[in-house]
Every structure is written in C-alpha cells, then in structure tokens.
Amino acid sequence: MRKKTESAAPVVVIGAGMAGARLAARVPGVTVVGEERHAPYNRVLLADVLAGRYAPDVIALPATEVRRGVRAVRIDRADRLVHCDDGSVLHYGRLVLATGSNPVLPPLRGLGATLPDGVHPFRTLDDALALRAAVRPGARAVVIGGGLLGVSAARALAECGAQVVLAQQGEHLMERQLDPEAAALLRVHLEALGVEVHTECRVRGLRCTTTATGESVRAVQLGDGYELAADLTVLACGVRPRTGLARAAGLDVRKGIVVDDELRTSDPYIHALGDCAEHRSTLYGLAGPALEQADVLAEVLAGRPTRYEGTRALTRLTLRSPDPVHALDLAAFGEARPLPGDDVIRLSDATRGAYRTVVLRDGRLAGGVLLGDLGAVAGLARTWQDDEPLPPAMSLLHLLTDDGGH
C-alpha cells in the first residue's frame, strides 16, 4: 500500500533538545523521539546545574510529550518511515531532524573510545550531573577548551571548591566572541576566582593509571612536556553537528545537514533545524538561532508562507557567584574584530568594572562586546539586528551609553 496522504500522516521530530521541544510546543500532534532519559531541558543552564545552583527539574522546558531513551537508527525515505532502536517504526508525513551536535573529543594520547575515569565531556544534563557527583572541594580539575562552554565549566567547578586550571590553545579566551581586550578582562575575572588560565597552550595527552575498574586520569600533558595534575578533566573543545542519520539516508550533508529558507533538506518531506542544520553555509551552534528556526518551521508546517533569513545571534553569558560582587555579565554580537577602514570606539570604566566596544563598518554597526554593565546592550543589539545605516546624528558615544553620552 502506498503512502498516506500528507495531511493524515504525523510530523515526527528526531531530537528532544531545545529546538525539537520548541517545535513540538508550537505544532500540535507532533511525535518527538529523544535519546536522553530526561525531559527536554534548557541546555544554556547546564553550568548552573554543575555548580549546584539549579536542580534538573528547574531547567526543564514546558511539558512536551517525548519518547525518551529511544534512538532513531534508520530513515526509510521511500516509505517515509523512521526505525528506532526499540524496534518501533514511525510513519511520517514530514520528518524534522533536530539531532543537535556531539562534543568534539580531541586526538589526545591516552584518550580512546572509552573515556578514562575522571574524564568528562560537558554537553548534556547527564554530563553535568556526573561532574557534579565527581567534584569535591580541593579536587584538581583541568578544563580543556577556553570557549563559551569551557569558561562556564571552569567557573562552575571553581564554585564547587575545585582547584581549576583552564587550558586554551588559542591566543585568548572565547576567541569566537571576544576581542583581546575583553578576553583579558574575562581572564582577570576568572583568575580572581581562583581559576588558573593558560592560553596558547597545546594539550598533548593524558597520563592515566590502571585501577581495578579500568584507566583513571592522573594528569594532563602539555605540548612543552609540562604536566597538570588532574583528578578531573573536562573536555570542552567544541561541538560537531550530528549528521550520521541524514548522511546514511542520502541527504545533502556538508558540515551540517543542508537546508533552504524553509528549513527543508534535499528531500522535500524532511526538514532540519538547530545545531545539525547548515543554512546558507552557516552553522550556528547557539540556542537563539535554533529557537528562531523552530518558530519559522512551525509556520511552514502550518502552511503559512514563511522564510528563514538567518539569525543575527547575540551571545550572553552570566558568570554567577554566591557573592554578587564576583558575578560577571558578558554580551557579544557580530564581528568584534575590526577590519582595515572600520571605526572603533571603546569605553572602559575600571571603577564600575565595565568595558564596551563597538565596530562600525560602512555606516552600520558590525559588532560589539560588553562586559560588566550591560545597560546599553538592548539598544545596541536592536541597532545591529536591524542592519540599517546609522542616522547621521547618532554618534558612537550614543551607541555605547544609556543616556546618549550625557
């Protein structure tokens, strides 16, 4: 018997992360298949779970019916079927791939297919809970990777009382978002909280010992031969889109699953969104674009003409602390590194612990970074997202101050 009509067949979503859960909340009758045993949750708050500030139920997203602990293993495009590892088979009229991404495991000596005891990725709620259970006051923890996730993990581990070392291969922390000056201020903040920061630091391998239960990490070996003693090692080396299911099904995959402006893949009955989707050669890997894509796709599936034009994403990070004096707010957007011919203005207020910089290119706001006082971030973000030429009367100082510079 041939396929059901599209109106009679359900929408099936593979992946119960933030993007899949958002879509399910917007589209009635969706079937969601999720590998994790937990209800969908806000991944942005994982560092708060690690720090013990939030329990898992606090970061849960609004109730969504999910087939938990079930993994999709094969897509049959001819008959529009999804085969799952529990033996079930789901028929779809439209299929949505929201498979997310996997943590990148660096090619280190001593790191095999099975992670040694004490070595943890930091991507899922189970990762955060395992780290929370393992960390003890005084434990020696090495975080490999100084991006957004690595900085968040290092701060949370320090809050747990661990002796934390953060090893970053690049020239400065959060290279994708911050300029060198902002990264230097972030480094000062982390060091004041007891985090030892090493930049331009290549990690060569892990030194492990054999125990009754297997291999256990004892130190992180650097490229210059120096060793960092480690009871815990956190891998925060970036993420890679999960595209295996799509690739096996014969869909167009480059770095991610290629989608058009309706989030449609090379198969007209299959869409993709979130970390696994590549739109106009861009992979976002952030919560904001994933949620915006889910909202657009909900309109598309409802038959309302809508197109996804891309997201101008704002990155915000709050490094919380039991003592509010030691908290730090950070926001970054666009291109904070100026090109020749760009106009740049920076304001720094050591007394208030505030730093702001914006880059103007061809009369438009190209990007900026704010640390400390984020009072101006809403206006800056609107100006940048609108991508319109700045009015002649609008000064750079006006952009950076809450009151127009007065």
Side-chain angles (χ1 to χ4, degrees):
M1 187 172 178
R2 204 53 200 148
K3 306 177 184 74
K4 299 177 185 178
T5 63
E6 190 167 327
S7 61
V11 175
V12 174
V13 179
I14 300 176
M18 295 178 70
R22 176 69 159 250
L23 182 68
R26 296 284 309 273
V27 179
V30 168
T31 299
V32 182
V33 177
E35 287 186 29
E36 295 189 56
R37 59 188 175 90
H38 304 283
Y41 55 85
N42 186 342
R43 198 178 302 275
V44 175
L45 299 176
L46 286 179
D48 293 302
V49 173
L50 172 54
R53 191 172 296 109
Y54 296 149
D57 60 324
V58 175
I59 70 168
L61 297 174
T64 299
E65 288 297 322
V66 178
R67 296 186 61 189
R68 301 187 204 175
V70 176
R71 184 168 63 92
V73 295
R74 185 168 65 87
I75 300 168
D76 178 346
R77 291 169 53 194
D79 289 319
R80 297 191 211 164
L81 301 174
V82 175
H83 295 260
C84 301
D85 64 352
D86 63 353
S88 61
V89 180
L90 302 174
H91 178 74
Y92 65 86
R94 294 289 184 97
L95 178 63
V96 180
L97 301 178
T99 47
S101 55
N102 284 326
V104 172
L105 302 182
L108 303 178
R109 287 194 315 196
L111 191 64
T114 301
L115 297 182
D117 289 343
V119 177
H120 298 262
F122 187 49
R123 181 64 182 162
T124 68
L125 181 52
D126 280 337
D127 294 338
L129 293 174
L131 263 173
R132 176 69 184 172
V135 68
R136 298 287 185 271
R140 298 165 300 182
V142 177
V143 178
I144 302 175
L148 182 64
L149 202 58
V151 167
S152 299
R155 179 65 188 86
L157 288 168
E159 192 170 331
C160 293
Q163 301 174 34
V164 184
V165 177
L166 191 157
Q168 158 73 335
Q169 184 169 329
E171 293 182 1
H172 62 257
L173 298 174
M174 293 182 61
E175 285 186 311
R176 288 185 59 187
Q177 293 89 10
L178 303 185
D179 61 15
E181 292 81 2
L185 292 172
L186 175 59
R187 178 173 182 159
V188 168
H189 171 81
L190 289 173
E191 290 176 339
L193 298 172
V195 178
E196 183 181 328
V197 178
H198 295 261
T199 53
E200 298 183 87
C201 171
R202 186 175 67 85
V203 175
R204 184 178 62 188
L206 305 177
R207 180 169 61 80
C208 301
T209 58
T210 302
T211 67
T213 58
E215 294 292 298
S216 182
V217 69
R218 288 292 175 263
V220 173
Q221 300 171 327
L222 304 183
D224 60 5
Y226 186 75
E227 286 193 349
L228 301 170
D231 303 307
L232 296 172
T233 300
V234 179
L235 304 176
C237 306
V239 296
R240 183 176 292 114
R242 295 185 65 183
T243 60
L245 202 60
R247 194 182 298 275
L251 299 178
D252 186 7
V253 175
R254 295 173 198 164
K255 289 183 178 179
I257 305 168
V258 178
V259 297
D260 63 14
D261 291 352
E262 291 186 332
L263 288 312
R264 196 186 311 268
T265 70
S266 53
D267 183 319
Y269 298 102
I270 302 178
H271 300 262
L273 74 167
D275 287 7
C276 68
E278 178 179 338
H279 175 259
R280 298 185 185 179
S281 302
T282 298
L283 289 165
Y284 289 99
L286 295 169
L291 298 178
E292 184 176 341
Q293 289 171 6
D295 290 342
V296 169
L297 184 52
E299 295 296 302
V300 170
L301 294 176
R304 292 184 280 270
T306 312
R307 302 182 73 81
Y308 177 66
E309 302 289 342
T311 299
R312 296 173 71 81
L314 172 73
T315 299
R316 292 192 65 156
L317 174 65
T318 297
L319 297 175
R320 297 180 176 86
S321 171
D323 180 0
V325 174
H326 293 138
L328 178 70
D329 290 315
L330 177 155
F333 58 92
E335 298 179 43
R337 295 184 179 183
L339 300 176
D342 289 347
D343 293 316
V344 181
I345 186 169
R346 294 185 177 92
L347 295 179
S348 182
D349 186 339
T351 303
R352 299 172 63 190
Y355 170 85
R356 302 175 183 181
T357 180
V358 291
V359 176
L360 264 71
R361 183 174 302 149
D362 298 326
R364 289 176 166 83
L365 187 59
V369 177
L370 295 86
L371 270 80
D373 184 356
L374 300 188
V377 70
L380 285 168
R382 280 195 301 270
T383 302
W384 171 66
Q385 288 167 345
D386 289 345
D387 195 30
E388 296 291 336
L390 297 177
M394 181 177 287
S395 69
L396 291 173
L397 188 61
H398 179 90
L399 284 171
L400 285 176
T401 55
D402 301 341
D403 56 1
H406 301 299

